[in-house]
Amino acid sequence: MGAKSSACAECKEMCSQCLSFALCSEADLKEGSNVFKVDPRMFCKTCMLKHTNIDFKQTEDVIEAKGDVKGNILFVHGGGGNRLMFAAHARALASLGFRCVLLDLPGHASRIDEPLSMDSACACVKAVHEIYFGSSALKCLYVGGSLGAYIGMEFLGRHPSLFSGAVIGMAGQDVGSETRGWKAGLGIFAMKNFLPGMAPTKLFKLMRDQCAKNGHISPDLYVEMVARPGFFFHQVCNQIAVMEASAPRKSLGNFLGPILFVNGDQDHHDSDHVWLALCSHNASKLVLYEGADHFFSHDERFMQRFIDDLAQFAALVVG
C-alpha cells in the first residue's frame, strides 16, 4: 500500500515504486479558515520531509522533567500515528516532574521503512527503554494508546520487569485472533478488506472527518498530531496483524505491577473488565469516561481529566 497513483503535489514527479504521503502543509493550513476542512495533498517522501513537523533525523523525543525527576514515562502512539500523538500530555507530565520519552513505532513516521510486527514493535520498545531508562535508578511507566496499548499488553507479558506499571488506553476490545468476539471479528474483516486499497489521502480524510465529527478536539492539537505530520497507514496490513497477534488474556498474568485501563464508554470495550480481573496488583483499576469515544485523550471535555489520571497514577507507580 502507498504506491503513488498521482504525481507529487510539489515536485510533480511520479514513481510507482515510492511511498506517497498525505499531509497538510503549514501554508495550506494558514489559507483555510477551518483546519478540519483543509484537504491533504499527496507528496513524495523528499517533498514530505520539507513540510512535516516531525524531525525524521531522530526516532524519539525527550521532554525533560521540570525540577527534580520523580520518574520516567514512555508514551507509545496508536496505529497510523506518530510520536507527537501524546506530545501535549508529555509536556503536562514533564511540568509535574516526570521525564517523558515519545517514540515512533516501526512502520510509522521516522521509522516508516522498518517492517512492523508484534516482535519488531516489542523490540523497539525494549531498545528505547534500554537507551533512555536502562541506567536510571528511577521507575518507569508505560503509556500506550490504541495500537500502542495492545503492543503494551503484549510487552508487559514478555518483559514483566522493565516497567513498574502501565496505562492502557483506547484498547478495551479483544481483537486477538484466538479470543475475539464476533463484533471484533467483523471489524477486523472490514479493515482487512477496505483499508489496504485506500489511497493515503482518503485514509487521512477519514481520520480528519472523525476528529471533526467529535467536535471537541482543538484545532491546534489536530494540526500538531495529524495534519502536519500526516497519517502513516502504509503498513496497514501489518498493523492489523499486530492487533490480531495480541493476547492480553495470556500476557497480563505475567505482569505483577499495577495497570490503569482507560476507555470511553462510547468506544468498543468488551474485554477491559476481563483484563482487569487478570491483574494481580490491587492498585490496578478500570476507568470509563461517560460520553467519551475513541478520541477521549484529545477531547477537550476529557483531556485534562485524562492527564490528571495519568499524573495521579504515575505518582503512585513511579513517583
Side-chain angles (χ1 to χ4, degrees):
M1 180 186 172
K4 291 169 64 177
S5 58
S6 59
C8 171
E10 184 158 310
C11 70
K12 309 304 180 184
E13 292 293 327
M14 180 180 291
C15 173
S16 62
Q17 302 302 313
C18 299
L19 292 178
S20 295
F21 296 86
L23 56 82
C24 299
S25 70
E26 186 175 15
D28 293 336
L29 292 164
K30 286 183 177 179
E31 288 181 4
S33 58
N34 183 343
V35 295
F36 293 106
K37 293 184 178 181
V38 176
D39 284 336
R41 291 191 292 159
M42 193 88 83
F43 295 95
C44 66
K45 188 173 183 178
T46 299
C47 293
M48 176 272 293
L49 293 174
K50 300 176 184 178
H51 296 292
T52 182
N53 59 340
I54 298 176
D55 183 356
F56 272 66
K57 295 179 182 178
Q58 60 190 55
T59 53
E60 301 88 35
D61 287 334
V62 180
I63 303 180
E64 297 292 350
K66 182 178 180 180
D68 295 334
V69 183
K70 298 176 181 177
N72 300 305
I73 303 177
L74 177 65
F75 288 90
V76 184
H77 62 81
N82 59 83
R83 65 183 188 265
L84 297 180
M85 174 179 171
F86 286 121
H89 305 75
R91 290 190 291 265
L93 272 293
S95 71
L96 299 176
F98 298 97
R99 183 173 185 252
C100 299
V101 176
L102 306 103
L103 62 75
D104 283 333
L105 285 168
H108 294 76
S110 63
R111 288 191 169 99
I112 187 66
D113 297 321
E114 299 177 23
L116 172 67
S117 66
M118 183 63 86
D119 288 342
S120 70
C122 287
C124 173
V125 172
K126 189 173 185 292
V128 170
H129 181 283
E130 183 176 348
I131 292 171
Y132 294 98
F133 310 135
S135 61
S136 175
L138 299 174
K139 296 178 179 180
C140 304
L141 175 69
Y142 182 102
V143 177
S146 197
L147 185 68
Y150 288 108
I151 291 169
M153 289 188 281
E154 179 68 21
F155 186 91
L156 296 176
R158 295 188 185 190
H159 306 283
S161 64
L162 294 187
F163 290 95
S164 298
V167 177
I168 302 299
M170 297 151 275
Q173 186 176 44
D174 191 336
V175 293
S177 59
E178 297 181 2
T179 53
R180 65 186 177 223
W182 66 270
K183 289 183 178 180
L186 283 176
I188 293 293
F189 176 83
M191 292 174 69
K192 285 182 175 180
N193 283 274
F194 295 108
L195 294 183
M198 288 187 180
T201 48
K202 178 65 174 178
L203 285 165
F204 183 106
K205 290 177 182 178
L206 285 175
M207 171 59 74
R208 178 200 64 188
D209 292 347
Q210 287 299 309
C211 290
K213 181 180 178 181
N214 174 281
H216 298 279
I217 296 175
S218 80
D220 289 343
L221 280 178
Y222 164 73
V223 168
E224 179 181 36
M225 68 177 185
V226 177
R228 289 293 312 284
F231 202 51
F232 300 93
F233 246 121
H234 303 81
Q235 295 190 40
V236 63
C237 292
N238 291 345
Q239 293 177 33
I240 296 170
V242 169
M243 294 170 65
E244 291 192 291
S246 66
R249 300 184 193 216
K250 294 180 180 179
S251 60
L252 291 179
N254 296 330
F255 184 66
L256 301 181
I259 300 178
L260 171 63
F261 298 93
V262 190
N263 290 301
D265 71 350
Q266 301 302 303
D267 197 7
H268 301 292
H269 62 101
D270 60 8
S271 298
D272 43 14
H273 61 289
V274 176
W275 300 336
L276 175 63
L278 296 173
C279 298
S280 59
H281 200 290
N282 59 13
S284 298
K285 63 179 181 178
L286 167 63
V287 175
L288 288 176
Y289 295 159
E290 184 177 356
D293 61 15
H294 195 69
F295 298 95
F296 71 79
S297 58
H298 295 78
D299 186 315
E300 292 177 321
R301 298 169 297 175
F302 306 101
M303 184 172 175
Q304 187 57 53
R305 179 182 173 187
F306 181 51
I307 290 174
D308 291 342
D309 285 343
L310 287 177
Q312 183 178 10
F313 193 71
L316 172 68
V317 176
V318 302

